[in-house]
Amino acid sequence: AGHRIDASEVLSKAVIYDSVPCPQCVRHNEIPPFCFKRSRCLLYFNEDNQGRVGSLECRKCLAAGRNPTLRILDIVAPEVFVSYNWGVREEGPDGSVDFSTQRIVKPLRTRLEEQDDLVCWLDVGGGMGAGQNLMAEMAEGVRKCTVV
Protein backbone atom coordinates (compact mmCIF):
# COMPACT_ATOMS: atom_id res chain seq x y z
CA ALA A 1 0.00 0.00 0.00
CA GLY A 2 2.40 2.65 -1.20
CA HIS A 3 6.01 3.39 -0.47
CA ARG A 4 7.40 4.22 2.94
CA ILE A 5 10.67 5.98 3.53
CA ASP A 6 12.05 7.24 6.82
CA ALA A 7 12.43 11.05 6.98
CA SER A 8 16.05 10.72 8.15
CA GLU A 9 16.79 8.58 5.08
CA VAL A 10 15.32 11.21 2.76
CA LEU A 11 17.24 14.00 4.50
CA SER A 12 20.54 12.08 4.34
CA LYS A 13 20.47 11.66 0.54
CA ALA A 14 22.92 13.82 -1.40
CA VAL A 15 20.38 14.78 -4.05
CA ILE A 16 18.67 18.01 -4.95
CA TYR A 17 15.03 18.31 -3.94
CA ASP A 18 12.56 21.02 -4.91
CA SER A 19 11.89 21.61 -1.21
CA VAL A 20 14.28 22.08 1.68
CA PRO A 21 13.14 21.12 5.19
CA CYS A 22 13.34 23.68 7.97
CA PRO A 23 16.49 22.80 9.95
CA GLN A 24 14.80 23.76 13.23
CA CYS A 25 11.83 21.48 12.51
CA VAL A 26 14.25 18.64 11.75
CA ARG A 27 16.22 19.33 14.95
CA HIS A 28 12.98 19.23 16.96
CA ASN A 29 11.76 16.02 15.22
CA GLU A 30 8.78 17.81 13.68
CA ILE A 31 7.15 15.27 11.32
CA PRO A 32 6.61 16.36 8.65
CA PRO A 33 8.94 19.36 8.83
CA PHE A 34 7.95 22.62 7.22
CA CYS A 35 9.61 22.87 3.81
CA PHE A 36 10.89 25.92 1.97
CA LYS A 37 10.90 26.05 -1.82
CA ARG A 38 14.52 25.66 -2.91
CA SER A 39 14.01 28.04 -5.85
CA ARG A 40 12.77 30.77 -3.49
CA CYS A 41 15.80 30.31 -1.23
CA LEU A 42 18.18 30.49 -4.18
CA LEU A 43 16.78 33.87 -5.24
CA TYR A 44 18.64 35.37 -2.27
CA PHE A 45 21.95 34.30 -3.83
CA ASN A 46 21.13 36.18 -7.03
CA GLU A 47 23.48 39.03 -7.93
CA ASP A 48 20.46 41.36 -8.29
CA ASN A 49 19.54 40.86 -4.63
CA GLN A 50 20.95 44.08 -3.20
CA GLY A 51 20.08 42.99 0.35
CA ARG A 52 22.49 40.09 -0.23
CA VAL A 53 21.48 38.22 2.91
CA GLY A 54 17.93 37.20 3.62
CA SER A 55 15.72 35.23 5.93
CA LEU A 56 12.46 33.34 5.72
CA GLU A 57 9.90 32.38 8.34
CA CYS A 58 8.79 28.87 9.23
CA ARG A 59 5.08 28.63 10.06
CA LYS A 60 5.55 25.42 12.07
CA CYS A 61 8.26 26.99 14.25
CA LEU A 62 6.02 30.01 14.83
CA ALA A 63 3.13 27.76 15.87
CA ALA A 64 5.46 25.78 18.18
CA GLY A 65 6.70 28.94 19.89
CA ARG A 66 10.20 28.73 18.42
CA ASN A 67 11.94 31.60 16.67
CA PRO A 68 10.41 31.34 13.16
CA THR A 69 13.07 33.44 11.40
CA LEU A 70 15.86 31.49 9.70
CA ARG A 71 18.73 32.86 7.64
CA ILE A 72 18.82 31.61 4.06
CA LEU A 73 22.38 30.39 4.67
CA ASP A 74 21.04 28.15 7.45
CA ILE A 75 18.35 26.70 5.17
CA VAL A 76 20.37 26.20 1.98
CA ALA A 77 24.06 25.70 2.65
CA PRO A 78 26.24 26.51 -0.36
CA GLU A 79 28.26 23.58 -1.66
CA VAL A 80 31.10 25.64 -3.16
CA PHE A 81 32.99 28.49 -1.48
CA VAL A 82 34.48 30.68 -4.20
CA SER A 83 37.70 32.19 -2.86
CA TYR A 84 39.57 34.89 -4.73
CA ASN A 85 41.93 37.81 -4.26
CA TRP A 86 39.99 41.07 -4.70
CA GLY A 87 42.59 42.44 -7.12
CA VAL A 88 42.48 46.08 -8.16
CA ARG A 89 39.57 48.32 -7.13
CA GLU A 90 37.94 49.92 -10.16
CA GLU A 91 35.09 52.40 -10.37
CA GLY A 92 32.68 52.27 -13.27
CA PRO A 93 31.29 55.31 -15.08
CA ASP A 94 28.03 54.86 -13.18
CA GLY A 95 29.85 55.04 -9.82
CA SER A 96 29.71 51.28 -9.20
CA VAL A 97 32.74 49.68 -7.56
CA ASP A 98 34.23 46.49 -8.89
CA PHE A 99 37.41 44.55 -8.25
CA SER A 100 39.36 43.16 -11.18
CA THR A 101 39.22 39.51 -10.14
CA GLN A 102 35.48 39.68 -9.45
CA ARG A 103 35.00 39.86 -13.21
CA ILE A 104 36.67 36.44 -13.40
CA VAL A 105 34.93 34.68 -10.51
CA LYS A 106 31.38 35.94 -11.13
CA PRO A 107 31.04 34.07 -14.46
CA LEU A 108 32.61 30.98 -12.85
CA ARG A 109 30.01 31.10 -10.09
CA THR A 110 27.20 31.57 -12.65
CA ARG A 111 28.42 28.56 -14.64
CA LEU A 112 28.62 26.34 -11.55
CA GLU A 113 25.13 27.33 -10.44
CA GLU A 114 23.38 27.24 -13.81
CA GLN A 115 25.12 24.31 -15.51
CA ASP A 116 26.01 22.14 -12.53
CA ASP A 117 23.15 23.17 -10.18
CA LEU A 118 25.58 23.92 -7.34
CA VAL A 119 24.98 26.67 -4.80
CA CYS A 120 28.05 28.88 -4.40
CA TRP A 121 29.14 31.21 -1.61
CA LEU A 122 30.64 34.39 -2.99
CA ASP A 123 30.97 37.50 -0.84
CA VAL A 124 29.30 39.71 -3.45
CA GLY A 125 26.53 37.30 -4.41
CA GLY A 126 24.51 36.36 -1.34
CA GLY A 127 27.33 35.50 1.02
CA MET A 128 27.60 38.88 2.69
CA GLY A 129 25.36 41.76 3.63
CA ALA A 130 26.14 45.33 4.57
CA GLY A 131 27.50 45.70 8.08
CA GLN A 132 28.48 42.06 8.51
CA ASN A 133 31.89 40.96 9.79
CA LEU A 134 33.87 39.88 6.73
CA MET A 135 36.15 37.39 8.51
CA ALA A 136 33.34 35.79 10.55
CA GLU A 137 31.09 35.37 7.50
CA MET A 138 33.92 33.97 5.39
CA ALA A 139 34.85 31.50 8.15
CA GLU A 140 31.23 30.35 8.37
CA GLY A 141 31.05 30.05 4.57
CA VAL A 142 34.15 27.86 4.50
CA ARG A 143 32.80 25.69 7.36
CA LYS A 144 29.47 25.06 5.63
CA CYS A 145 30.72 24.43 2.10
CA THR A 146 31.85 21.08 0.76
CA VAL A 147 34.37 22.50 -1.71
CA VAL A 148 36.61 25.54 -1.23
Side-chain angles (χ1 to χ4, degrees):
H3 299 281
R4 283 192 60 141
I5 187 166
D6 185 49
S8 61
E9 185 179 337
V10 170
L11 298 176
S12 69
K13 301 279 185 205
V15 295
I16 298 171
Y17 293 102
D18 289 334
S19 297
V20 181
C22 167
Q24 286 190 146
C25 286
V26 171
R27 227 178 356 267
H28 287 90
N29 296 317
E30 205 59 67
I31 304 293
F34 179 81
C35 288
F36 298 97
K37 288 186 179 184
R38 183 176 190 268
S39 58
R40 182 171 179 212
C41 293
L42 295 182
L43 288 176
Y44 287 90
F45 291 96
N46 186 307
E47 196 64 31
D48 296 331
N49 176 14
Q50 294 303 308
R52 302 278 191 245
V53 175
S55 59
L56 294 173
E57 289 198 355
C58 171
R59 291 191 301 261
K60 281 199 168 188
C61 288
L62 179 64
R66 296 187 295 268
N67 180 0
T69 306
L70 290 105
R71 294 181 329 146
I72 297 298
L73 290 172
D74 293 330
I75 300 168
V76 177
E79 294 104 346
V80 178
F81 181 96
V82 180
S83 178
Y84 66 100
N85 177 312
W86 286 352
V88 179
R89 178 187 165 108
E90 299 171 351
E91 290 190 31
D94 62 352
S96 63
V97 175
D98 195 9
F99 292 90
S100 58
T101 53
Q102 284 178 350
R103 287 192 304 275
I104 297 168
V105 297
K106 286 179 182 179
L108 170 66
R109 173 183 171 247
T110 300
R111 182 196 171 281
L112 289 170
E113 290 186 339
E114 291 178 359
Q115 293 180 18
D116 300 316
D117 204 20
L118 295 168
V119 178
C120 298
W121 191 103
L122 181 63
D123 60 348
V124 294
M128 295 283 304
Q132 290 185 296
N133 180 295
L134 176 66
M135 299 312 264
E137 293 300 315
M138 287 177 67
E140 182 179 8
V142 168
R143 253 192 324 276
K144 288 186 172 188
C145 289
T146 306
V147 177
V148 177

